[in-house]
Amino acid sequence: EADIYQTPRYLVIGTGKKITLECSQTMGHDKMYWYQQDPGMELHLIHYSYGVNSTEKGDLSSESTVSRIRTEHFPLTLESARPSHTSQYLCASSEWGSIELFFGEGSRLTVL
Amino acid sequence: KQEVTQIPAALSVPEGENLVLNCSFTDSAIYNLQWFRQDPGKGLTSLLLIQSSQREQTSGRLNASLDKSSGRSTLYIAASQPGDSATYLCASAPEDGGSQGNLIFGKGTKLSVKP
């Protein structure tokens, strides 16, 4: 079973607040990813990282930012949340050379 | 641009039935194709991964097939159980960026197995 954790699982905040969604994995995976999933819709890749100090934007444009200071940690930050940011955010990781992704349980964000 | 379509969007079957979920993709230049399961409010669990050179993969009661030339994959579930109720997602990894993890997902098929 994969060991990848996301916090918070649920978050309801007001417009304009800064939020950070945490993602940690204990498998030593080099590659980590953030996907966004609106209800009833497809997942879309918004950020990925190949390792420490590596971050790239995915296909779906996002106002969020990410950092990768430690291998096991890949937080996502929204400086000023808006209602359009309401969505589920899923973190995943994989070994170098593998495309098999292991997902966390997601963070469901609601911005009022 | 790759598009992944899953049919049907929802399926309800009685327990014990064998069933097939369909996934089609527009660009046959894929690195691999994966099937995931998502329970309500949860993340995704990887079920089966088929490399582009393979035609099928099996795990327990699940069998996934891949036909690149026709742009189709199917997930076969044998002897369905209520515990199989979930949304099943298929995702393709592009051939030119497969190692990046940029999977293209379908919207999923929501399966309900009634006791």
Side-chain angles (χ1 to χ4, degrees), chain A residues 8-23:
Chain A
R9 292 289 318 283
Y10 303 94
L11 180 62
V12 181
I13 60 169
T15 297
K17 299 291 186 183
K18 177 180 178 179
I19 65 107
T20 297
L21 304 180
E22 304 285 352
C23 176

Side-chain angles (χ1 to χ4, degrees), chain A residues 9-10 31 33 35 37 40-43 45 48 50 59 88 90 97-101 103-106 108, chain B residues 1 4 31-32 34 36 38 41-44 46 49 51 89 93 98-107:
Chain A
R9 292 289 318 283
Y10 303 94
K31 296 191 287 186
Y33 315 85
Y35 283 83
Q37 183 183 31
M41 300 299 289
E42 308 93 328
L43 280 77
L45 182 68
Y48 61 96
Y50 286 157
D59 277 356
Q88 175 158 252
L90 290 160
S98 170
I99 193 60
E100 185 172 8
L101 300 188
F103 280 84
E105 293 204 321
R108 187 171 295 278
Chain B
K1 183 181 176 183
V4 177
Y31 188 76
N32 65 41
Q34 300 182 54
F36 295 88
Q38 186 174 31
K42 302 281 190 176
L44 278 65
S46 179
L49 184 156
Q51 299 288 2
L89 301 167
S99 62
Q100 293 176 1
N102 187 8
L103 301 180
I104 308 299
F105 282 84
K107 292 183 180 180

Side-chain angles (χ1 to χ4, degrees), chain B residues 55-77:
Chain B
R55 293 193 65 84
E56 67 176 340
Q57 283 285 342
T58 298
S59 175
R61 294 182 293 108
L62 305 180
N63 175 276
S65 67
L66 175 64
D67 184 342
K68 276 184 60 176
S69 60
S70 66
R72 292 181 183 179
S73 176
T74 61
L75 179 67
Y76 175 82
I77 303 177

Side-chain angles (χ1 to χ4, degrees), chain A residues 3 21 26 32 35 42 44 46 50 54 57 84-85 92 95 102 112:
Chain A
D3 294 317
L21 304 180
T26 59
M32 296 188 74
Y35 283 83
E42 308 93 328
H44 290 284
I46 52 174
Y50 286 157
S54 155
K57 290 189 179 295
S84 60
H85 296 141
E95 293 182 13
F102 296 90
L112 303 176

